């Protein structure tokens, strides 16, 4: 207790950043945060405290988060106390686990007047193998879930990297390597534990507060602070996955063949086409390090013979490298080659209605071999199958499972995302390259956007369309004072 009290005394004497509060003195806030620190199992940090800069860092190191205070929560009670304190102080609370997609959250004011509630230490995972249900805490990452489920022969609808947070990914929808056959991860959530703006801990499902349950599944993080999720796991008996690589000079040829190949594919196949410009890095294999490439990544729930049959049109292009092989679903976390640790980045995405020959030409002109692009990766993901919202809702009706939430799927054919590593000397070039890519494909842009791939703020109508007013009614009912802050507010 001695060192803990000394740390607090030092914090009280540290100036706080400006906050949106009517309190007559900043000292009252310092005292309130010290009081909160005493009451929770976790810890409260303010500017100047040891660990402050690490705690405020987002996964994207280019994002500058400057909140009024940070609470590192370790229990649901910590979350309850924090929300109640925030309401009393007249400040907001922004939950954050890994800090993916934090750019829109900190864009305007750096989170002034906001308590950043970090949940990354709440990483418990429980698996009910018989029921094929996972229960995960707020800070769990997909690597945690896969490590627990895979030895039991079960598969989660995980993100493309081990360190993606389960909660944020799922609340935004969740597009996995199995999404064309299984739909969005949000559609398979069976229960949600959360703390709402009144400081109440709730558990909602299809029978208990079904309207809030509907809104949370794909509505993002604006409705409450989720402390645990329960969702379905699956038996995926056969899988072949990997990548096919060609030199970047063959981008137009490969993308044309890929766009024709995906037309009519069974829902058992999910694939991504991307252009990579990789820097020389010793941790990369020689066939990738320092190379500019066009790549097709595939995950195929087919036996090897059928996978070979389906891949024949792409293999006829004679890829320089072909890594497709039978594997466990746990290996899918490595397929997309996401950075293994936080990096500074600049990126954004959009959805496309279709991928016409003209759209392919525009994409190639923006990022292909003759483009002076600073982007590390420009990718196009094939959607459809169970990601079609009508198909997802019809399947739920047939199987007697709960109807999907606000984001059942996407009325779009493809998902595009471009990103580069932000360095001190390439900011202008990187921004120009991303703008060039997004502008080039704008004519084929769909009417909807995907929360998890929207790295910059945009109107809520872009995410929720005709469901927005219903969603806003739920927000008003559970958070009329807008205590909860998210990266993509409902409004």
């Amino acid at each position: 207790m001695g060192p803990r009290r000394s740390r607090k005394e030092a914090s009280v004497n540290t100036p706080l950043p400006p906050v949106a509060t009517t309190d007559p003195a900043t000292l009252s806030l310092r005292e309130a945060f010290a009081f909160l620190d005493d009451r929770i199992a976790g810890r409260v940090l303010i500017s100047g405290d040891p660990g402050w800069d690490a705690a405020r860092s987002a996964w994207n190191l280019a994002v500058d988060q400057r909140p009024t205070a940070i609470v590192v929560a370790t229990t649901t009670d910590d979350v309850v106390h924090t929300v109640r304190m925030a309401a009393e102080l007249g400040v907001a609370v922004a939950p954050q686990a890994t800090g993916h997609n934090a750019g829109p959250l900190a864009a305007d004011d750096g989170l002034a007047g906001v308590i950043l509630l970090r949940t990354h230490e709440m990483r418990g995972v429980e698996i009910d193998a018989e029921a094929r249900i996972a229960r995960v805490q707020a800070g769990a990452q997909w690597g945690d879930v896969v490590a627990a489920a895979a030895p039991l022969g079960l598969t989660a609808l995980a993100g493309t990297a081990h360190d993606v947070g389960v909660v944020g990914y799922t609340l935004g929808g969740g597009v996995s390597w199995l999404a064309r056959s299984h739909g969005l991860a949000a559609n398979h959530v069976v229960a949600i534990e959360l703390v709402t703006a009144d400081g109440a801990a709730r558990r909602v499902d299809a029978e208990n507060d079904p309207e809030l349950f509907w809104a949370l599944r794909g509505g993002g993080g604006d409705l409450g602070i989720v402390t645990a999720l329960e969702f379905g796991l699956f038996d995926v008996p056969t899988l072949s996955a990997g990548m096919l690589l060609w030199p970047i000079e063959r981008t137009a040829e490969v993308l044309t063949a890929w766009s024709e190949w995906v037309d009519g594919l069974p829902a058992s196949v999910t694939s991504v086409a991307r252009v990579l410009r990789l820097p020389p890095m010793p941790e990369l294999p020689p066939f990738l390090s320092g190379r500019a490439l066009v790549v097709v990544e595939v995950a195929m729930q087919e036996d090897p013979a059928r996978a070979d049959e389906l891949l024949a049109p792409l293999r006829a292009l004679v890829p320089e490298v072909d890594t497709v092989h039978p594997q466990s679903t746990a290996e899918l976390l490595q397929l997309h080659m996401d950075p293994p640790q936080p990096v500074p980045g600049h990126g954004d995405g959009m959805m496309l209605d279709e991928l016409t020959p003209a759209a392919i030409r525009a994409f190639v002109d923006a990022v292909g071999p003759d483009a002076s692009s600073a982007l590390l990766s420009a990718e196009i993901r094939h959607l459809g199958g169970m990601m079609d919202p009508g198909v997802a809702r019809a399947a739920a009706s047939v199987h007697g499972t709960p109807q999907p939430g606000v984001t059942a799927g996407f009325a779009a054919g493809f998902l595009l995302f471009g990103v580069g590593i932000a360095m001190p000397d390439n900011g202008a070039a990187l921004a120009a390259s991303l703008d060039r890519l997004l502008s080039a494909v704008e004519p084929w842009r769909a009417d909807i956007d995907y929360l998890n791939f929207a790295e910059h703020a945009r109107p809520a109508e872009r995410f929720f369309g005709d469901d927005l007013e219903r969603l806003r009614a739920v927000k008003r009912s559970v958070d009329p004072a807008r205590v909860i802050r998210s990266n993509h507010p409902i409004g």
Side-chain angles (χ1 to χ4, degrees):
M1 289 298 294
R4 183 176 174 88
R5 190 174 298 113
S6 296
R7 180 189 66 78
K8 286 185 201 171
E9 289 169 359
S11 299
V12 167
N13 294 319
T14 303
L16 285 169
V19 297
T21 178
T22 57
D23 286 356
T26 306
L27 181 60
S28 62
L29 284 174
R30 294 195 192 106
E31 290 176 333
F33 293 141
F35 176 74
L36 179 61
D37 194 23
D38 279 336
R39 298 198 66 182
I40 65 174
R43 56 198 181 277
V44 179
L45 302 172
I46 62 174
S47 180
D49 278 345
W52 167 261
D53 284 332
R56 72 185 184 91
S57 293
W59 195 91
N60 180 353
L61 298 179
V63 175
D64 184 17
Q65 300 188 124
R66 292 170 282 106
T68 295
I70 298 170
V71 173
V72 180
T74 60
T75 67
T76 296
D77 282 346
D78 288 358
V79 178
V80 169
H81 286 308
T82 301
V83 172
R84 291 177 179 175
M85 177 66 72
E88 292 174 6
L89 293 174
V91 299
V93 181
Q96 189 175 90
T98 63
H100 283 78
N101 202 285
L105 179 64
D108 294 329
D109 56 13
L111 296 177
V114 176
I115 297 173
L116 183 64
L117 179 59
R118 300 302 303 262
T119 60
H120 58 281
E121 294 188 7
M122 301 171 63
R123 289 180 64 169
V125 175
E126 303 170 19
I127 306 292
D128 183 336
E130 183 176 353
R132 296 199 298 189
I133 297 291
R135 179 186 181 276
V136 307
Q137 289 185 306
Q141 300 177 11
W142 279 117
D144 303 327
V145 179
V146 170
L152 302 173
L154 297 173
T155 294
L157 302 183
T160 58
H162 70 93
D163 60 359
V164 170
V166 177
V167 168
Y169 164 94
T170 305
L171 295 181
V175 176
S176 74
W177 280 112
L178 308 180
R180 279 179 40 81
S181 58
H182 290 72
L184 299 183
N187 293 348
H188 299 282
V189 173
V190 297
I192 301 173
E193 298 170 29
L194 75 158
V195 176
T196 43
D198 57 358
R202 308 187 187 190
R203 186 181 189 276
V204 301
D205 54 31
E207 304 298 327
N208 300 290
D209 205 339
E211 191 70 358
L212 180 55
F213 186 55
W214 169 84
L216 286 164
R217 289 174 296 143
D222 213 38
L223 298 161
I225 299 172
V226 172
T227 55
L229 283 180
E230 295 180 21
F231 52 86
L233 301 171
F234 302 92
D235 177 20
V236 180
T238 58
L239 178 74
S240 290
M243 65 181 76
L244 301 94
L245 293 81
W246 297 263
I248 195 172
E249 289 74 20
R250 299 186 65 185
T251 299
E253 177 190 8
V254 170
L255 285 180
T256 298
W258 177 75
S259 68
E260 296 170 352
W261 179 70
V262 299
D263 187 24
L265 274 179
S268 59
V269 181
T270 298
S271 64
V272 176
R274 63 197 305 208
V275 172
L276 294 173
R277 285 177 166 85
L278 297 167
M281 299 174 63
E283 54 267 39
L284 291 174
F287 66 87
L288 293 176
S289 181
R291 300 286 309 279
L293 302 158
V294 57
V295 180
V296 173
E297 300 165 348
V298 297
M300 315 176 73
Q301 297 165 73
E302 303 284 354
D303 62 50
R306 177 60 174 154
D308 288 343
E309 180 183 343
L310 289 170
L311 280 172
L314 294 181
R315 285 176 167 159
L317 300 179
V318 192
E320 180 182 308
V321 175
D322 181 347
T323 71
V324 180
H325 66 283
Q327 59 184 259
S328 71
T329 55
E331 292 182 61
L332 291 175
L333 290 178
Q334 285 76 48
L335 175 55
H336 201 55
M337 300 182 294
D338 291 278
Q341 67 279 319
V343 294
H346 181 72
D348 212 348
M350 69 166 60
M351 288 191 162
L352 307 177
D353 281 324
E354 56 185 347
L355 195 60
T356 65
I360 292 171
R361 287 194 297 272
F363 181 85
V364 174
D365 288 345
V367 299
D370 298 323
S372 57
S373 176
L375 296 176
L376 174 73
S377 172
E379 67 177 66
I380 304 173
R381 300 189 180 204
H382 183 213
L383 303 177
M386 287 291 291
M387 282 184 283
D388 181 293
V391 173
R393 292 190 179 100
S397 298
V398 169
H399 297 295
T401 56
Q403 279 291 316
V406 59
T407 303
F410 308 115
F414 298 88
L415 175 57
L416 176 142
F417 190 76
V419 67
I421 302 298
M423 305 296 288
D425 60 349
N426 76 340
L430 185 52
S433 296
L434 181 62
D435 288 346
R436 186 162 55 246
L437 169 61
L438 299 180
S439 297
V441 298
E442 178 69 27
W444 299 274
R445 185 175 187 172
D447 291 333
I448 195 166
D449 286 325
Y450 175 36
L451 278 172
N452 292 354
F453 273 27
E455 295 283 346
H456 294 84
R458 60 200 67 183
E461 289 82 0
R462 292 289 313 173
F463 302 117
F464 306 114
D466 294 339
D467 286 321
L468 180 58
E469 287 310 311
R470 179 182 173 188
L471 191 61
R472 283 176 170 166
V474 178
K475 173 70 171 179
R476 289 192 296 270
S477 71
V478 296
D479 186 14
R482 297 186 179 181
V483 174
I484 308 300
R485 175 84 68 87
S486 73
N487 55 345
H488 293 295
I490 294 168

